[in-house]
Amino acid sequence: MTETTEPNVGSFTLGGPLTAEPAGTIEVPEHEEWTLPNGFAWVFPGEGNDGGLVRPVIMADGFNLGRSKLDVLHHGLESGFPFISELRRRGRDVILLGFDERSASILDNARTVEAAIMRAIAVRLGDAPLAVGGFSMGGIVTRYALARMEVQRMDHQTQLYFSYDSPHRGASIPVGVQAFSHFIPLPNNFARQMNSPAARQMLWQHYDADTGKTGVSPLREEFLEALRQVGWWPRRPRMIGVANGRGDGIGLPEVKAGEVALRIDKIYPGTTFYTQAQGDDVTAAYLNRRLPKAEKTITTGGFPELDGAPGGTLHTYKILADTVKKFGGEADLRHGDVCFVPSVSAVAIRDIDKQDDLYAGVDELAPDESELDEFLCSSTTTAHTAITAELCTWIMDRLAD
């Protein structure tokens, strides 16, 4: 800390297990690399395919800041359950798709998907159909790309589209946390992530640092209109999706609405974040800093109880608390994990703006209420994009023979 500013605690970004970098060297099997518009891909041939591309499965990286780290993604996809290895054992060619900037506009990164699909078709041996999908934001990028290709009459030859905990109806990062990224008195990665095009397109509610107001970002409205213009969904492939959250309406019962989630001291003293509660003029966070002196109360109105909702979780407050402590601060952490992608959003069956819809028991709803052809919610609450045998096996069993 200098004499004029609090420390820059915004050095972190929020991400799920697939972005967690392990200690030590990551070993990745031999693969081919493709250079693509706005991105790149690593190609791992399936067993028995003699190194050629026979039955391609394209899997797109999700949301974070900066260039995709496909070694980290590969490691994540082999942790918990060996998803890539099992796909390859079944004779599937795995194409991991990365982006030059993961936080760029979905519309721009969709071009990477389109290029990967066309290249896979060009080099494929035989005529087996493709499977195309992605994790988190990757499922939204691939959804849009496939739909746009159909409108442009490009033959994507994709029989199956899949999404893995993708925010089809929006995602949630606590508004107080978003606001805090901009309250830090120095440029920082966390603020860049929160204000990126992809974040503004993905989040159900976005905090605007320029106005101090929270609402649907104009970039999200523009993206939703772009989706409508290409038919909202692709029409040719069978569409499936999985959620890391439960489907019985049970989320994080220990995360009660209106409670302290995290309180900071020593640096940014007294800054306090609360779990999201219903009602008008609800305090979401109190932000305070000594240098330069400032304080701000962040309020919401008309929100449901998002933080404890059924859904894939992020270590949102734990990541923030750990970072604060690294800079000499104290952190009273009460709730480290909160909901990021609600189950109803991941399986495209309800919007997330109303309490009853957010906490709906998906398993009790008519399956045809979903915009997907078929879906599965996790039997237990798991971290956003956590790779589990339950979800991965379900997806693999639906790949075309």
Side-chain angles (χ1 to χ4, degrees), residues 117-140:
I117 289 171
M118 299 311 293
R119 181 155 180 178
I121 292 170
V123 302
R124 176 191 53 189
L125 304 175
D127 59 1
L130 279 62
V132 177
F135 305 92
S136 187
M137 179 72 79
I140 306 299

Side-chain angles (χ1 to χ4, degrees), residues 231-287:
W232 200 245
W233 291 89
R235 299 302 174 190
R236 290 177 52 193
R238 178 170 175 76
M239 301 182 298
I240 66 171
V242 297
N244 281 111
R246 290 166 58 158
D248 58 4
I250 297 175
L252 300 168
E254 69 278 9
V255 180
K256 307 294 185 185
E259 293 185 341
V260 172
L262 171 64
R263 188 180 190 278
I264 299 171
D265 218 333
K266 281 191 144 180
I267 59 174
Y268 302 91
T271 290
T272 306
F273 303 92
Y274 300 90
T275 54
Q276 184 62 57
Q278 299 184 74
D280 297 323
D281 199 27
V282 170
T283 298
Y286 167 72
L287 310 181

Side-chain angles (χ1 to χ4, degrees), residues 87-308:
L87 281 166
R88 297 180 70 191
R89 190 190 68 79
R90 296 186 182 202
R92 307 289 174 176
D93 309 295
V94 176
I95 303 171
L96 289 188
L97 188 59
F99 305 104
D100 291 338
E101 177 50 69
R102 287 171 288 180
S103 67
S105 168
I106 294 169
L107 308 184
D108 293 336
N109 282 343
R111 301 192 184 282
T112 312
V113 177
E114 294 165 1
I117 289 171
M118 299 311 293
R119 181 155 180 178
I121 292 170
V123 302
R124 176 191 53 189
L125 304 175
D127 59 1
L130 279 62
V132 177
F135 305 92
S136 187
M137 179 72 79
I140 306 299
V141 178
T142 49
R143 167 186 166 184
Y144 176 76
L146 287 167
R148 185 164 69 183
M149 291 179 79
E150 291 179 359
V151 169
Q152 295 174 345
R153 299 188 178 181
M154 298 170 66
D155 185 7
H156 55 59
Q157 299 185 31
T158 299
Q159 189 173 68
L160 183 75
Y161 159 81
F162 65 92
S163 63
Y164 202 110
D165 214 39
S166 298
H168 293 295
R169 302 289 183 92
S172 172
I173 292 176
V175 171
V177 175
Q178 293 184 51
F180 182 68
S181 74
H182 303 288
F183 192 71
I184 298 166
L186 293 166
N188 64 85
N189 283 341
F190 185 40
R192 287 176 55 211
Q193 185 189 29
M194 291 299 95
N195 207 41
S196 68
R200 286 181 281 165
Q201 291 169 327
M202 169 186 67
L203 292 173
W204 169 64
Q205 295 284 295
H206 179 260
Y207 176 82
D208 188 323
D210 294 329
T211 65
K213 296 180 179 179
T214 302
V216 179
S217 168
L219 271 186
R220 177 165 177 77
E221 293 176 336
E222 291 171 11
F223 169 64
L224 294 177
E225 179 56 31
L227 260 184
R228 293 185 189 96
Q229 290 176 2
V230 296
W232 200 245
W233 291 89
R235 299 302 174 190
R236 290 177 52 193
R238 178 170 175 76
M239 301 182 298
I240 66 171
V242 297
N244 281 111
R246 290 166 58 158
D248 58 4
I250 297 175
L252 300 168
E254 69 278 9
V255 180
K256 307 294 185 185
E259 293 185 341
V260 172
L262 171 64
R263 188 180 190 278
I264 299 171
D265 218 333
K266 281 191 144 180
I267 59 174
Y268 302 91
T271 290
T272 306
F273 303 92
Y274 300 90
T275 54
Q276 184 62 57
Q278 299 184 74
D280 297 323
D281 199 27
V282 170
T283 298
Y286 167 72
L287 310 181
N288 183 54
R289 69 177 188 232
R290 295 171 299 173
L291 301 168
K293 178 62 181 173
E295 62 179 345
K296 181 180 294 187
T297 299
I298 307 299
T299 61
T300 62
F303 280 39
E305 296 169 6
L306 289 154
D307 293 335

